[in-house]
Amino acid sequence: MTARSRRARPGGLGAAGPGEKALRYALLLLVLALTVSPFLWQLSTSLKSVTEDIYSSTPSFLPEQPTLDNYAQVADTIPVWSYAANSLVVAAIVITGNVIGATLAGYALARLRFRGAKLLLGLFLATLVLPGEVTIVSQYVTVRSLGLADTLLGVALPGAIAMLNVLLMRTAFAAIPKEMDEAAVIDGATAWQRLRHIGLPNVRGMLSVITIFSFIGAWDDFLWPLIVLTDPDTYTLTVGLQYLNGTFSANPRLIAAGTMISFVPIVIVFAALQRYFFRGVEEGAIKG
């Protein structure tokens, strides 16, 4: 019996003891509590009626009289569905741009040979070092010069192709065995045919990862839409929700309800794509 098989056996060399397992589960529960507790507290606050005191010295986690009136008041206070539609338009543009642009760029960097490929890859990596706040002024000047200020297209344009997504797609395409491409070339397949019939079927998981990341980034973005948009009719949901904070600062129940409304689409997208999401994570982490 080899040392590797002995380590793989339960209770063998290298196996975690009861104390170590208990510590691992304790740390996992701690991380779970720190991650989920704020969300559950916001959900609880959004369901509390006006008769409940949420500032008591011993706050109650479960609402005494659960109600959906706070959600109705949010819809009556601001055009939440119009703002949500604007956010969906921005998210759709960003997702389309990233899925198409990152796929084409990632495939070219991973599977095609051309002069300057390494230099181009280095430039992509260099852009990841710069924080978004450094380029936000130049982005606004560019968008304004294009006549896209105060438009949803102007909000979506800077995030239409993210360099991180390009590198993720490059990693996914690079994990495909080169022998498959070589066999296709021998059969006379063009680059487009190799991308369609060999590349895309093997990177569907990573495409789901990019879709989820792009949607969350576009849906939750606050600073850039706040800079670009001035007409309240074009506000996205994150910008429109600031009216709840300004008008009803003494009633955090409405703010919590607005937060839950903005959170629901993210849950829906992730639930629909989570099966492919974890497959995409494996594609990006394991090569070969």
Side-chain angles (χ1 to χ4, degrees):
M1 184 180 294
T2 63
R4 183 177 180 181
S5 61
R6 287 197 300 268
R7 287 195 298 269
R9 292 180 56 186
L13 182 62
E20 185 177 351
K21 288 183 178 180
L23 179 60
R24 290 179 181 179
Y25 282 112
L27 292 176
L28 288 174
L29 290 175
L30 177 60
V31 173
L32 179 64
L34 293 176
T35 305
V36 179
S37 294
F39 165 75
L40 294 179
W41 180 256
Q42 284 288 88
L43 178 61
S44 173
T45 303
S46 68
L47 297 175
K48 291 182 178 179
S49 62
V50 294
T51 59
E52 297 184 52
D53 184 11
I54 62 175
Y55 295 110
S56 61
S57 57
T58 55
S60 175
F61 184 78
L62 296 177
E64 297 177 0
Q65 299 176 348
T67 179
L68 296 176
D69 290 343
N70 297 322
Y71 292 88
Q73 291 185 37
V74 170
D76 292 338
T77 304
I78 61 174
V80 63
W81 306 120
S82 176
Y83 293 159
N86 293 337
S87 293
L88 286 176
V89 171
V90 173
I93 298 174
V94 171
I95 291 173
T96 303
N98 277 280
V99 168
I100 297 177
T103 298
L104 297 178
Y107 184 79
L109 291 173
R111 314 302 290 189
L112 303 182
R113 295 181 180 179
F114 57 93
R115 183 177 300 177
K118 293 184 178 179
L119 176 61
L120 188 60
L121 178 60
L123 293 176
F124 281 148
L125 292 173
T127 58
L128 298 178
V129 180
L130 297 174
E133 290 76 7
V134 174
T135 59
I136 198 168
V137 175
S138 60
Q139 288 179 356
Y140 178 74
V141 173
T142 302
V143 168
R144 186 180 62 179
S145 63
L146 293 174
L148 298 177
D150 201 20
T151 64
L152 297 180
L153 181 58
V155 175
L157 187 60
I161 301 180
M163 295 302 102
L164 178 60
N165 292 336
V166 173
L167 296 177
L168 288 175
M169 290 304 301
R170 177 189 176 275
T171 302
F173 282 120
I176 302 174
K178 294 183 178 180
E179 291 77 8
M180 300 178 66
D181 267 2
E182 295 172 354
V185 171
I186 294 175
D187 292 337
T190 63
W192 288 104
Q193 290 172 333
R194 298 198 303 271
L195 171 62
R196 178 181 177 184
H197 298 289
I198 298 176
L200 292 179
N202 288 282
V203 297
R204 286 180 296 181
M206 187 59 73
L207 285 174
S208 298
V209 173
I210 289 177
T211 300
I212 292 175
F213 285 171
S214 300
F215 179 82
I216 294 176
W219 185 267
D220 286 343
D221 193 12
F222 173 76
L223 179 59
W224 177 246
L226 183 65
I227 295 174
V228 176
L229 301 176
T230 56
D231 185 0
D233 292 335
T234 61
Y235 279 175
T236 58
L237 185 58
T238 53
V239 177
L241 288 177
Q242 68 177 328
Y243 284 111
L244 295 177
N245 192 24
T247 307
F248 295 94
S249 57
N251 189 0
R253 302 171 184 83
L254 297 187
I255 301 175
T259 303
M260 290 297 101
I261 292 175
S262 65
F263 182 72
V264 169
I266 297 178
V267 175
I268 295 175
V269 171
F270 185 81
L273 299 177
Q274 59 88 19
R275 180 179 59 179
Y276 302 101
F277 174 83
F278 293 106
R279 183 189 304 174
V281 172
E282 294 177 358
E283 291 174 358
I286 301 175
K287 182 177 180 180

